[in-house]
Amino acid sequence: MINEVIKKNGITYGVMIGIASTLITATIYAIDLNLFTAWWMGLIGIAISLTISIILLSKTKKELNGIFPFKEAFTTYFIAAVIGILISTTFNIILFNVIDPAAKDTLSELMIKYTVSMMQKFGTPASVINETIEKMKLSNPYSTIELLKGSVFAIVISSIFGLIFAAFFKSKTIQE
């Protein structure tokens, strides 16, 4: 059975992570779709999510009077991460497949241009660039299926962060 403090904090902070991610996506969408290709926007999103996660684990450890085994620390983080990812993915599915399906076509074109630009900067041969463009045109990264696949990948990556955070935030064992 999951401790009530762990469950409550995991859910509360997971909703906070999901809302923060949704607000970032909505803001980028409203300001300029080109910002979706800006690497620094991704870093801002990750920094916000990690900051909220650190606050979550610190608060939970304090509420548990410092008794915070690795498993509970990981569980707390994992609950928050999964809820945050599910909220964010649901918003993206609704935004790009219901509200404004044309935006995903625009974003696909922007991503192709960005990728070509980066490949040219690194001196990639034209044949490789053309092959990459063809593959990118066949994919639809903002379709419901691809967004769901991306959420599974995000959960796996978040789990790795969760293991690291759990190791850091777990309570120290006392040997007598």
Side-chain angles (χ1 to χ4, degrees):
M1 198 70 186
I2 297 177
N3 181 306
E4 285 303 313
V5 171
I6 290 170
K7 190 178 354 177
K8 176 183 69 80
N9 287 351
I11 292 169
T12 301
Y13 281 80
V15 170
M16 289 170 63
I17 291 168
I19 289 171
S21 177
T22 297
L23 288 173
I24 290 169
T25 301
T27 302
I28 293 170
Y29 173 80
I31 293 173
D32 184 3
L33 291 178
N34 285 299
L35 291 174
F36 279 106
T37 63
W39 61 270
W40 52 270
M41 287 303 297
L43 289 180
I44 289 172
I46 291 169
I48 291 169
S49 179
L50 292 178
T51 301
I52 293 171
S53 298
I54 289 168
I55 294 167
L56 159 67
L57 293 172
S58 296
K59 179 181 184 214
T60 305
K61 184 175 184 176
K62 185 177 179 183
E63 288 180 13
L64 294 173
N65 300 317
I67 301 170
F68 204 29
F70 180 86
K71 180 182 176 189
E72 280 74 11
F74 178 77
T75 301
T76 305
Y77 176 88
F78 188 76
I79 290 168
V82 169
I83 289 172
I85 290 166
L86 291 177
I87 290 170
S88 177
T89 301
T90 301
F91 176 76
N92 288 340
I93 289 169
I94 292 168
L95 177 63
F96 296 117
N97 293 283
V98 177
I99 296 171
D100 189 2
K104 65 183 173 186
D105 297 330
T106 303
L107 282 173
S108 291
E109 286 301 315
L110 290 171
M111 291 303 287
I112 289 170
K113 287 178 186 175
Y114 176 77
T115 302
V116 168
S117 170
M118 292 303 292
M119 291 176 85
Q120 288 172 338
K121 285 181 186 175
F122 289 111
T124 306
S127 61
V128 175
I129 292 173
N130 290 335
E131 184 180 319
T132 301
I133 291 169
E134 288 307 311
K135 286 180 182 175
M136 289 180 78
K137 284 182 178 179
L138 294 175
S139 72
N140 183 356
Y142 295 96
S143 71
T144 301
I145 296 296
E146 292 302 318
L147 287 169
L148 291 172
K149 284 183 193 175
S151 69
V152 170
F153 178 74
I155 289 170
V156 170
I157 297 301
S158 290
S159 295
I160 294 168
F161 278 107
L163 293 170
I164 294 165
F165 280 149
F168 183 78
F169 280 95
K170 72 178 179 152
S171 52
K172 309 294 181 240
T173 56
I174 300 172
Q175 305 249 340
E176 294 186 32

